[in-house]
Amino acid sequence: NAGVGIPPRRAVSAQGYELAMAVNHLAHALLVRRLLPRLEQSAEARVVVVASEAAGAATDEFIVADDLSRPLERAVYDGLSAYADSKLANMLFTLSLNREFARREQRHITAIALHPGAYWSNLSTGIGTSGHWLHYANVLLDWLGFFKSLEAGAATSFFALTAPLADLPDVMLKDCQAWTLPAASPATKILANDTLRELFDKRTRAILHTYML
């Protein structure tokens, strides 16, 4: 669950990809792809993907781009949108893995995405530096008791890792229970769109191919 929060300004990875997408999706996808041969040899395996309900704010703009980032023609970089896009990418990747496992009849492996809830961590402190509105917003939310404790924030991840596979829902998890994005969310429509899901898979695989060699 290494990740970046809402970047206050646009940055790119060493490979040239928008930072939120690079860290929150591409790096994890590469790790999973490299681990798959070991998972396939296990008696039981699972891939737990820490997504976020922030994915509900994503659109399909990043999917149609070769580098999985929104067009640079936008006058102002929107860190929240970039974070939302990367979290929707987490969910799309989870669906892609499960389709792949089903196609190969690998019933001993499953992937599940979850929303851990908001909690104060290095991810929270890193999304806005002193002087940026995100920093002050997080300080205020923390003072109001909005953030979960670290233990509560980790609970759903722990449940996904340790619960019997039969107890895990086909949909996502939140607060250790089955959960989905709101039906009216644009992201929900994207998750249900075969064409966009296949295009996302194609983009991700093309990017990762270079680093799988």
Side-chain angles (χ1 to χ4, degrees):
N1 185 30
V4 296
I6 304 170
R9 60 190 62 83
R10 192 179 195 279
V12 297
S13 68
Q15 295 76 26
Y17 299 104
E18 191 278 321
L19 191 62
M21 186 62 67
V23 176
N24 295 346
H25 166 56
L26 292 172
H28 295 97
L30 178 61
L31 175 62
V32 170
R33 286 291 174 197
R34 286 183 168 178
L35 288 174
L36 276 183
R38 299 294 296 271
L39 299 180
E40 291 168 353
Q41 296 170 10
S42 302
E44 179 182 290
R46 64 192 76 188
V47 178
V48 177
V49 181
V50 180
S52 170
E53 63 184 4
T59 72
D60 62 3
E61 284 186 273
F62 76 96
I63 297 175
V64 300
D66 289 341
D67 63 352
L68 291 178
S69 65
R70 295 198 184 200
L72 291 178
E73 298 84 50
R74 289 180 173 273
V76 179
Y77 174 73
D78 183 355
L80 177 58
S81 293
Y83 179 73
D85 291 348
S86 72
K87 295 291 102 179
L88 179 56
N90 291 154
M91 295 179 181
L92 287 164
F93 181 62
T94 303
L95 289 176
S96 174
L97 286 174
N98 281 328
R99 289 198 307 274
E100 185 175 329
F101 298 150
R103 186 173 62 252
R104 296 180 178 179
E105 297 187 348
Q106 295 173 324
R107 297 181 178 86
H108 65 296
I109 315 177
T110 192
I112 189 161
L114 61 89
H115 170 63
Y119 56 95
W120 190 263
S121 67
N122 288 339
L123 181 69
S124 301
T125 56
I127 66 176
T129 55
S130 181
H132 193 279
W133 71 268
L134 288 170
H135 171 80
Y136 297 113
N138 278 316
V139 171
L140 176 61
L141 289 172
D142 187 39
W143 181 76
L144 292 173
F146 175 78
F147 290 113
K148 292 181 176 181
S149 67
L150 289 177
E151 292 78 11
T156 303
S157 295
F158 187 77
F159 175 79
L161 287 166
T162 59
L165 288 180
D167 293 346
L168 294 177
D170 293 332
V171 292
M172 293 167 281
L173 284 173
K174 177 182 178 181
D175 295 329
C176 302
Q177 297 178 349
W179 167 78
T180 59
L181 289 168
S185 165
T188 298
K189 295 178 174 61
I190 294 170
L191 290 168
N193 187 309
D194 290 341
T195 300
L196 288 176
R197 291 204 314 257
E198 290 172 5
L199 180 58
F200 169 81
D201 287 348
K202 178 182 177 181
R203 299 289 194 228
T204 296
R205 289 177 181 274
I207 292 171
L208 298 186
H209 177 72
T210 302
Y211 308 101
M212 291 291 291
L213 299 178

